[in-house]
């Protein structure tokens, strides 16, 4: 999210289909959150201490899912191409990076409070209503009994109403910097402040300035995006890897934003992982005839990124590319589109693809004093490449894959037991194969153990389960999204064969034990 985009947030949301509701999550989200806990996908952070708002821990299956999402992204964006290389930069960067990028001055959300129910949130995400419209809303008049009174009022100049109680009575908007600040070095800023201010009778702005100056001396920030390291390392990567535009630098890693409103489970939290790539292309005057132009590269990446989600199983009708309108764009951006997913609460961003021009390299050149250009030997000229940036979030993507995979199947005719299935693409599934003995006798557990050991040996994530009936074991694996289950049964001892059951169709084939690893490996490819 750029500085300019932040400043223009208020206009932006008018263009999105539905305002985000702060009311209770749709029922499906409650089911997903509960399944995530039961099956070990996602837990509330520090749960035994009552949890910490907006902080989540990925459990054993969630850790696998997120790793698989990131691995697929890396495979597609880096390993599958000649023109993109990877980077793993530090989270804490020189504070001047954030001055140059504009995050220190402008990375702030418009914070607003509802004067009636005291709900706090982002003005740009609250329901938009025409100024002057008379709206009805409910106010609690007796907190003991919860008794509410209906009132009427006109929508004020901000043109928003509270998403919780519907009131148009808003505080003024305050800007709130989203970067987490900490300090680097062995001097505790509290010591500096107390030494400097000891005996001084400062108050108001003077006091604030003195404290800010003292903190500022050692202040560093947790990065709010991974992108800046690709710009600051542009020359290091370009020269060490002898890259020539068009080429990209890709990175995955944690980012931190002190979001005013954290919402929808892992969709918006304060600590999250990003998967970003900066693709440097020649500006129009340096593009050779027959090569893609900068705008064609932008369109190329919009399509590539949209298709990536559907290639891993997200239903096409749940995905769309939403081009930003002109007044949503940062002043330097030539174009921007969001890949959006139809979440249970409405369309929301999965990934942004921006054509950032040459803004970032020029900003860092200005602030660092180091030339950040590419020398085109054929044209004998130095130029600042343009940048196309596909910026995705690993947590949002994992959540979208979870939501899209979730299916409640009714009982088949003649039975009374339906099932809940996570229809993950096999490459995203946390557990690839589960191995069962049909019953716990006649040498079946021993034979099943031997099979699962083969999967471990070949580093294919597998599970062994012998508890409960085989039907219940299948259901358990369906809920985890395991694409294949192998069962040792009475016939195994006679001919060395086992059944392999496919999760979605529930179809079973017989295969030889000796072929089991190869069969599963082929199906995962
Ligand atoms: P939003 O408009 O939803 O706040 P953004 O435009 O600020 O998102 P970007 O700055 O473009 O997001 O970041 C790129 C990607 O990083 C987003 O598309 C999203 O997938 C992810 N992301 C950004 N902020 C968060 C967050 N607070 N929690 C989880 N993922 C996030």
């Amino acid at each position: 999210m750029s500085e300019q985009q932040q400043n223009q947030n208020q206009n932006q949301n008018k263009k999105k289909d539905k305002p985000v509701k702060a009311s209770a999550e749709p029922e499906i989200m409650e089911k997903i959150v509960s399944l995530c806990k039961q099956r070990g996908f996602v837990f509330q952070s520090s749960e035994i201490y009552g949890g910490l708002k907006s902080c989540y821990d990925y459990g054993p299956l969630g850790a696998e899912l997120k790793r698989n999402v990131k691995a697929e992204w890396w495979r597609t964006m880096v390993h599958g191409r000649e023109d993109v290389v990877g980077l793993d930069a530090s989270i804490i960067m020189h504070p001047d990076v954030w001055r140059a990028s504009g995050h220190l001055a402008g990375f702030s959300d418009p914070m607003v409070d509802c004067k009636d129910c005291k709900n706090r949130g982002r003005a740009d995400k609250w329901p938009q209503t025409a100024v002057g419209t008379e709206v009805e809303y409910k106010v609690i008049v007796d907190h003991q009994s919860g008794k509410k009174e209906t009132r009427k009022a006109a929508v004020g100049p901000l043109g928003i109403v509270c998403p919780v109680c519907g009131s148009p009575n808003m505080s003024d908007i305050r800007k709130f910097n989203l970067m987490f600040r900490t300090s680097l070095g062995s001097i505790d800023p509290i010591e500096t402040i107390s030494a400097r201010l000891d005996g001084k009778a400062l108050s108001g702005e003077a006091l604030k300035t003195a404290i800010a100056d003292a903190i500022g001396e050692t202040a560093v920030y947790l990065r709010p995006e991974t992108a800046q390291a690709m710009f600051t390392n542009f020359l290091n990567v370009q020269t060490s890897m002898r890259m020539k535009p068009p080429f990209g630098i890709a990175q995955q890693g944690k980012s931190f934003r002190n979001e005013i409103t954290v919402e929808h489970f892992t969709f918006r939290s304060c600590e999250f992982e990003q998967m970003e790539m900066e693709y440097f292309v020649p500006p129009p005057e340096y593009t050779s005839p027959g090569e893609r132009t900068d705008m064609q590269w932008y369109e190329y990446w919009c399509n590539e990124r949209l298709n990536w989600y559907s290639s891993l199983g997200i239903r096409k009708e749940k995905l769309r590319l939403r081009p930003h309108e002109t007044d949503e764009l940062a002043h330097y951006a030539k174009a921007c589109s969001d890949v959006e997913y139809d979440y249970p609460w409405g369309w929301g961003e999965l990934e942004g693809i921006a054509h950032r021009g040459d803004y970032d390299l020029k900003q860092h050149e200005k602030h660092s004093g180091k030339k950040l250009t590419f020398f085109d030997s054929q044209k004998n000229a130095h130029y600042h490449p343009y940048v196309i940036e596909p910026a995705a979030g690993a947590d949002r993507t994992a959540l979208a894959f979870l939501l899209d995979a979730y299916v409640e199947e009714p009982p088949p005719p003649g039975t009374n037991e339906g099932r809940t299935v996570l229809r993950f693409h096999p490459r995203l599934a946390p557990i690839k194969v589960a191995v069962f003995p049909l019953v716990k006798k006649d040498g079946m557990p021993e034979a099943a153990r031997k099979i699962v050991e083969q999967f471990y040996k070949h580093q294919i994530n597998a599970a062994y389960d012998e508890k409960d009936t085989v039907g219940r074991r299948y259901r358990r694996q369906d809920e985890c999204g395991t694409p294949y289950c192998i069962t040792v049964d009475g016939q195994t001892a006679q001919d060395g064969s086992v059944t392999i059951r496919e999760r979605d169709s529930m179809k079973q084939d017989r295969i030889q034990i000796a072929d089991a690893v190869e069969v599963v490996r082929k199906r995962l490819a």
Side-chain angles (χ1 to χ4, degrees):
M1 180 167 43
S2 68
E3 167 197 359
Q4 190 81 2
Q5 281 166 327
Q6 281 286 340
N7 295 339
Q8 291 166 345
N9 265 341
Q10 233 168 314
N11 290 333
Q12 283 182 19
N13 236 54
K14 288 179 192 152
K15 316 241 162 29
K16 295 188 181 173
D17 276 359
K18 290 179 196 168
V20 174
K21 282 192 282 171
S23 54
E25 293 283 10
E27 194 194 344
I28 179 76
M29 281 306 288
E30 283 163 26
K31 288 182 178 172
I32 294 279
V33 173
S34 152
L35 180 95
C36 279
K37 182 172 157 76
Q38 274 170 27
R39 293 285 171 229
F41 281 92
V42 182
F43 308 124
Q44 179 73 59
S45 162
S46 326
E47 196 184 274
I48 59 168
Y49 291 100
L52 186 62
K53 198 177 162 211
S54 136
C55 294
Y56 296 98
D57 297 339
Y58 285 83
L61 296 198
E64 292 294 332
L65 173 65
K66 198 157 97 163
R67 286 178 80 97
N68 292 342
V69 166
K70 291 194 298 176
E72 283 303 320
W73 185 91
W74 196 265
R75 263 200 281 273
T76 311
M77 300 294 279
V78 183
H79 291 175
R81 326 182 41 109
E82 192 183 1
D83 55 350
V84 180
V85 289
L87 183 74
D88 187 353
S90 66
I91 286 174
I92 296 175
M93 300 181 78
H94 193 292
D96 284 349
V97 168
W98 309 114
R99 273 183 200 103
S101 67
H103 283 87
L104 258 180
F107 193 59
S108 54
D109 275 344
M111 185 164 78
V112 74
D113 292 295
C114 169
K115 285 185 180 166
D116 286 303
C117 72
K118 313 297 176 219
N119 176 32
R120 171 172 288 174
R122 280 174 60 174
D124 59 318
K125 300 277 177 191
W126 281 18
Q128 311 276 335
T129 313
V131 176
T133 313
E134 186 157 282
V135 291
E136 247 182 33
Y137 58 101
K138 288 198 162 65
V139 176
I140 296 183
V141 285
D142 179 354
H143 283 273
Q144 288 235 308
S145 64
K147 190 177 161 224
K148 290 181 177 170
E149 192 176 278
T150 301
R151 293 185 185 162
K152 281 186 183 169
V155 174
L158 297 180
I160 50 174
V161 295
C162 172
V164 171
C165 69
S167 163
N169 299 318
M170 299 292 138
S171 70
D172 288 338
I173 288 179
R174 280 154 295 145
K175 290 282 181 182
F176 175 81
N177 197 295
L178 300 181
M179 283 203 292
F180 283 100
R181 182 172 50 201
T182 183
S183 67
L184 188 68
S186 52
I187 301 164
D188 182 349
I190 294 178
E191 295 293 327
T192 315
I193 294 168
S194 59
R196 292 232 185 117
L197 300 186
D198 195 20
K200 290 201 179 125
L202 296 178
S203 64
E205 283 308 310
L207 181 63
K208 264 199 218 164
T209 308
I211 294 173
D213 286 349
I215 290 177
E217 285 166 21
T218 54
V220 286
Y221 302 86
L222 302 187
R223 68 180 175 201
E225 59 175 36
T226 62
Q228 296 306 320
M230 273 86 95
F231 300 126
T232 58
N233 279 298
F234 168 72
L235 275 189
N236 285 336
V237 174
Q238 188 265 312
T239 51
S240 62
M241 301 304 287
R242 300 186 316 280
M243 304 303 279
K244 179 176 176 304
F247 80 93
I249 309 177
Q251 179 170 215
Q252 299 180 331
K254 290 261 180 177
S255 293
F256 303 83
R257 294 182 191 175
N258 201 358
E259 299 272 8
I260 300 167
T261 314
V262 284
E263 58 189 351
H264 307 313
F265 198 32
T266 54
F267 175 82
R268 186 184 306 284
S269 51
C270 292
E271 177 182 339
F272 54 97
E273 272 190 88
Q274 289 188 305
M275 310 185 287
E276 298 193 289
M277 198 264 286
E278 307 304 322
Y279 197 74
F280 301 95
V281 303
E285 59 275 33
Y286 294 99
T287 306
S288 302
E291 284 179 355
R292 276 198 184 99
T293 63
D294 56 315
M295 280 314 284
Q296 284 169 337
W297 275 117
Y298 163 72
E299 278 150 26
Y300 167 89
W301 281 112
C302 285
N303 291 327
E304 283 290 299
R305 295 307 306 146
L306 184 68
N307 293 339
W308 183 77
Y309 294 94
S310 50
S311 73
L312 287 169
I314 296 204
R315 287 165 289 169
K316 287 209 163 104
E317 66 273 19
K318 299 289 249 176
L319 284 170
R320 74 178 184 190
L321 198 63
R322 187 184 70 83
H324 284 204
E325 295 190 22
T326 318
D327 64 346
E328 284 183 76
L329 292 177
H331 64 89
Y332 50 78
K334 281 179 101 177
C336 187
S337 291
D338 286 345
V339 176
E340 294 190 334
Y341 179 72
D342 187 8
Y343 293 93
W345 57 88
W347 289 96
E349 179 176 333
L350 260 178
E351 164 163 2
I353 300 119
H355 183 321
R356 301 177 62 88
D358 55 12
Y359 176 78
D360 306 277
L361 288 177
K362 281 191 171 162
Q363 278 296 104
H364 284 298
E365 185 171 280
K366 195 167 115 195
H367 282 76
S368 69
K370 302 278 178 332
K371 217 164 177 44
L372 294 177
T373 50
F374 172 75
F375 178 63
D376 184 333
S377 54
Q378 277 168 359
K379 297 197 169 73
N380 195 26
H382 291 269
Y383 67 76
H384 293 95
Y386 280 2
V387 172
I388 315 295
E389 177 192 79
D395 306 83
R396 268 188 208 182
T397 303
L399 178 62
F401 280 123
L402 249 170
L403 287 164
D404 213 68
Y406 183 89
V407 179
E408 285 175 18
E409 285 182 5
T415 70
N416 57 7
E417 211 190 328
R419 63 174 189 151
T420 299
V421 199
L422 287 178
R423 291 175 178 247
F424 288 128
H425 187 291
R427 286 210 299 276
L428 295 180
I431 301 170
K432 307 299 183 194
V433 58
V435 184
F436 311 146
L438 183 64
V439 287
K440 271 199 278 183
K441 57 182 186 187
D442 302 334
M444 291 185 207
E446 292 75 11
R449 284 258 178 224
K450 273 193 192 153
I451 297 171
V452 81
E453 294 293 340
Q454 283 304 308
F455 284 103
Y456 297 146
K457 202 174 136 206
H458 288 86
Q459 286 149 13
I460 295 174
N461 201 23
Y464 174 84
D465 193 359
E466 58 178 26
K467 201 167 172 286
D468 303 317
T469 64
V470 75
R472 288 191 70 172
R473 283 178 257 157
Y474 283 141
R475 297 287 172 272
R476 257 201 301 272
Q477 293 303 326
D478 290 341
E479 279 194 8
C480 299
T482 307
Y484 307 109
C485 291
I486 288 178
T487 305
V488 171
D489 57 15
Q491 204 177 313
T492 308
Q494 294 162 25
D495 61 7
S497 72
V498 286
T499 61
I500 181 162
R501 170 200 185 256
E502 201 269 326
R503 178 196 63 208
D504 300 343
S505 63
M506 295 192 274
K507 201 170 145 279
Q508 298 194 13
D509 297 323
R510 285 206 87 84
I511 57 167
Q512 286 296 304
I513 290 178
D515 301 333
V517 170
E518 220 26 56
V519 167
V520 170
R521 214 207 295 263
K522 272 199 187 128
R523 292 189 188 188
L524 291 174

